[in-house]
Amino acid sequence: MLTVCDLHVKYGNIEALHGISLNVEEGEIVALLGANGAGKSTTLMSIMRLAPPEGPVVTKGTISYNGTDLLPIQAHNIIARQGIGLVPEGRHIFGNLTVFENLKLATFARRDRERIQQDYERVFSLFPRLADRRTQRGDLLSGGEQQMLAIGRAFMSGVKFILLDEPSMGLSPLLMLELFRVLKSINESGTTILVVEQNARLALQYANRAYVLEAGKIVLEGKAEDLATNPEIHRAYLG
Amino acid sequence: MFLESFLQNLLNALQWGSFYALIALGYTMVYGVLLLINFAHGDIFMVGAYIGFFIATLLLGQYAGSSPSLSPVLVFAITVVVTMVLTSGVGVAIERIAYRPLRRKGASRLYVVITALMCGLILENGNLALLGASRRNFPEMLSKTAYNIGGINFTNVKIMVIMTTIAVFILLETIVRKTRLGMAMRAISYDRMAVPLMGIPVDTVIVFTFILGSSMAALAGVLFATAYPVLEPYMGALVGWKAFIAAVLGGIGEIRGAFVGGFLLGFIEIFVAALFPSTLRDLIAFSILLVFLSIKPTGIFGVSRATKI
């Protein structure tokens, strides 16, 4: 489904990724693990084609999705036309908009009204908290609720493939677990997921496969259950 | 007697403030979306008045070859609509030619503001070069009717200006509150980076904002010229500055701020002129505003926001 091949990217003059390759198949949950600064977020930003200054510049390599070259496509069309969405690090909720407006905004490019109605219902059943707070401003939500809203937004944009950047950051252990359960359920109803995670133990528990990034290179890859028992992973991330 | 003169001045202030409010809108919406003070906006108002002048003259058949058979009200309505469309084109062209390339290069906002100042000067001097320095008389499309109720004088034009401004306020508030494009405008002002992630083309939202702002300036231009029918190339400069001050006074980035700020500035100017010699009008009016802003720098509705990187 998604194939990244020999990707080199730069922020300004600094190369952040030194030729990474990865692929995600339809229906999978794939985890991208690694320490701070390893290039995990950069990888997601590159796939989403976010423009500088936020996004990096691809200097070499290819990103293709269902056979389409993503490199010449603008970020908003990655979501609207290609059907790939990103739940960004730090959530980026529109704090001056209500919960419902945040969700409605994500349907900007969609024209399938009936499906949109179904998707609202799905989001509110996955996250009943959001239904309770639908008229509340985004900046008044707790961290956990904001994360739910961020995932709900990605869902409302009608994408088939969701990238998540550190979804568990700042959440209590209980909420983290809850979050991954919801992700699993979204995945089981047909959405492919690529998740960047600091909490490797949790991610490996839910993912099918994982890649480990270190200083802009992929150093390990494999099935989640194999990586979970890999001594190197244990030492570095599960210690 | 006192009440009469108060109500008379109130009505005058509402009309005077209407022009500021309509122009202040463009400043405030562009600022909300781009954090850019579009200093060319006052001159867009001037361009609107001139485009209105040419459309109206053409329609009234003052140029050879056209047929003067339309009713005056229809001529006025067509003039307003066509002027708004054409002036939007000018506003959008400035955004495409001057501001967007700078944005693409990631230029600091300071350079964009300087560019905006230059665009304003180009519009003024372009007009001067093309049409000359002589003043032009805006054709009278609506015959002015004066009324007097309880000692208060007003004209149909004055009432129309005030009603139009109120209608524009309701329309824009609805657009910004209820439509997805309006929500996108608000979203950009809060978090620009996340907007494309909603599948929203940021440039489209920016162009939409310029269309709204420029067409309201054009509306103000035609209404202003209908009330005060003398046009000259620098007519947008001072009015533009004052409308910008009105936008800041109301809290820049807020639509209701533009209206309240515009009307407030209108009130202060009219009442200062009523109580003091008119040469002192701007001095006293802006001293009052200076004190106000030093007490509440974010304006009436504004909230201070942390600068986002």
Side-chain angles (χ1 to χ4, degrees), chain B residues 247-254 256-257 296-305:
Chain B
V248 174
L249 188 66
I252 195 152
E254 289 283 335
R256 57 204 166 126
K296 196 162 185 327
T298 54
I300 297 167
F301 292 114
V303 281
S304 57
R305 59 170 127 194

Side-chain angles (χ1 to χ4, degrees), chain B residues 1-11 150-152 271 274-275:
Chain B
M1 184 62 215
F2 171 78
L3 186 69
E4 267 174 28
S5 86
F6 177 79
L7 288 176
Q8 181 69 61
N9 280 319
L10 191 70
L11 198 66
I152 301 158
F271 279 93
L275 300 173

Side-chain angles (χ1 to χ4, degrees), chain A:
Chain A
M1 199 177 194
L2 177 77
T3 311
V4 174
C5 193
D6 191 31
L7 189 70
H8 291 67
V9 311
K10 277 161 99 171
Y11 274 112
N13 288 323
I14 301 155
E15 191 171 84
L17 297 178
H18 317 292
I20 68 160
S21 299
L22 59 85
N23 73 299
V24 180
E25 295 306 323
E26 190 162 358
E28 277 192 310
I29 298 183
V30 173
L32 196 53
L33 310 175
N36 272 336
K40 297 169 303 205
S41 298
T42 306
T43 307
L44 299 191
M45 298 279 224
S46 310
I47 298 170
M48 292 309 295
R49 310 304 309 126
L50 279 167
E54 295 92 0
V57 176
V58 173
T59 52
K60 198 182 157 201
T62 59
I63 306 171
S64 73
Y65 182 67
N66 292 333
T68 310
D69 178 14
L70 295 189
L71 288 182
I73 300 177
Q74 286 181 296
H76 61 91
N77 280 330
I78 294 282
I79 295 103
R81 303 252 170 85
Q82 302 300 317
I84 308 177
L86 172 68
V87 177
E89 184 178 358
R91 297 149 198 146
H92 288 269
I93 293 302
F94 300 113
N96 59 341
L97 270 57
T98 67
V99 167
F100 185 72
E101 286 172 339
N102 268 279
L103 294 173
K104 186 174 175 186
L105 200 55
T107 67
F108 190 88
R110 293 178 69 178
R111 295 290 173 266
D112 46 345
R113 281 174 182 235
E114 279 159 36
R115 282 283 312 281
I116 291 176
Q117 280 312 318
Q118 289 169 15
D119 285 351
Y120 280 130
E121 281 159 30
R122 182 83 206 283
V123 167
F124 287 135
S125 77
L126 282 172
F127 304 111
R129 299 281 290 169
L130 294 184
D132 300 341
R133 299 187 167 244
R134 55 191 289 158
T135 57
Q136 202 164 79
R137 271 173 67 109
D139 54 5
L140 297 176
L141 301 181
S142 72
E145 289 163 347
Q146 286 197 348
Q147 191 62 58
M148 294 173 198
L149 181 54
I151 294 172
R153 262 188 341 192
F155 192 82
M156 286 312 298
S157 62
V159 295
K160 302 285 291 169
F161 185 7
I162 298 183
L163 316 178
L164 295 108
D165 198 349
E166 308 267 4
S168 75
M169 195 161 58
L171 301 188
S172 70
L174 204 67
L175 269 176
M176 279 187 205
L177 220 60
E178 175 61 28
L179 183 83
F180 270 86
R181 254 187 244 125
V182 168
L183 288 183
K184 189 80 191 168
S185 133
I186 290 177
N187 170 249
E188 278 162 1
S189 55
T191 306
T192 309
I193 288 175
L194 175 61
V195 57
V196 158
E197 207 20 272
Q198 290 269 343
N199 189 331
R201 190 190 304 270
L202 189 64
L204 289 175
Q205 206 176 318
Y206 283 90
N208 305 104
R209 289 188 302 119
Y211 292 86
V212 179
L213 263 175
E214 217 172 87
K217 282 193 160 143
I218 286 179
V219 291
L220 265 175
E221 58 178 284
K223 285 185 173 167
E225 57 262 37
D226 296 345
L227 288 179
T229 54
N230 182 313
E232 250 181 281
I233 295 278
H234 250 269
R235 187 179 42 75
Y237 303 106
L238 302 176

Side-chain angles (χ1 to χ4, degrees), chain B residues 31-268:
Chain B
Y31 183 85
V33 167
L34 286 180
L35 298 185
L36 161 71
I37 298 162
N38 180 15
F39 279 121
H41 190 65
D43 296 302
I44 293 283
F45 160 77
M46 176 275 291
V47 168
Y50 270 86
I51 291 180
F53 166 80
F54 286 113
I55 305 286
T57 326
L58 194 71
L59 288 174
L60 289 174
Q62 289 178 15
Y63 288 131
S66 45
S67 56
S69 58
L70 299 163
S71 82
V73 176
L74 191 62
V75 169
F76 183 76
I78 296 175
T79 303
V80 167
V81 172
V82 175
T83 304
M84 284 170 77
V85 172
L86 293 180
T87 311
S88 304
V90 176
V92 171
I94 290 179
E95 133 69 11
R96 290 294 277 268
I97 296 166
Y99 306 154
R100 188 180 292 184
L102 287 174
R103 213 162 52 238
R104 287 277 195 284
K105 293 194 177 87
S108 147
R109 233 175 288 135
L110 175 67
Y111 300 106
V112 192
V113 172
I114 304 286
T115 306
L117 271 171
M118 291 189 292
C119 288
L121 289 172
I122 289 171
L123 288 177
E124 284 171 20
N125 290 292
N127 182 337
L128 200 62
L130 282 174
L131 303 173
S134 60
R135 297 173 162 217
R136 279 163 199 267
N137 280 319
F138 198 76
E140 191 181 282
M141 287 173 278
L142 305 175
S143 51
K144 269 188 194 166
T145 321
Y147 303 93
N148 185 315
I149 296 176
I152 301 158
N153 294 308
F154 58 92
T155 61
N156 53 349
V157 171
K158 197 169 276 187
I159 298 300
M160 180 190 67
V161 168
I162 297 168
M163 299 302 267
T164 306
T165 306
I166 293 169
V168 164
F169 172 69
I170 295 169
L171 175 75
L172 285 184
E173 273 287 320
T174 313
I175 289 176
V176 165
R177 298 274 146 225
K178 301 288 177 207
T179 68
R180 284 191 282 196
L181 257 173
M183 279 178 203
M185 285 171 65
R186 283 187 286 149
I188 288 186
S189 73
Y190 194 86
D191 191 335
R192 172 114 163 248
M193 177 262 186
V195 169
L197 294 178
M198 306 294 107
I200 301 170
V202 172
D203 283 336
T204 305
V205 183
I206 291 171
V207 165
F208 178 67
T209 309
F210 274 88
I211 289 176
L212 282 184
S214 307
S215 56
M216 293 314 146
L219 180 61
V222 175
L223 292 178
F224 186 87
T226 306
Y228 305 92
V230 179
L231 307 185
E232 47 108 2
Y234 297 107
M235 65 185 281
L238 187 60
V239 175
W241 279 108
K242 288 183 174 179
F244 169 59
I245 291 168
V248 174
L249 188 66
I252 195 152
E254 289 283 335
I255 285 182
R256 57 204 166 126
F259 280 91
V260 172
F263 283 124
L264 190 64
L265 184 58
F267 281 108
I268 294 175

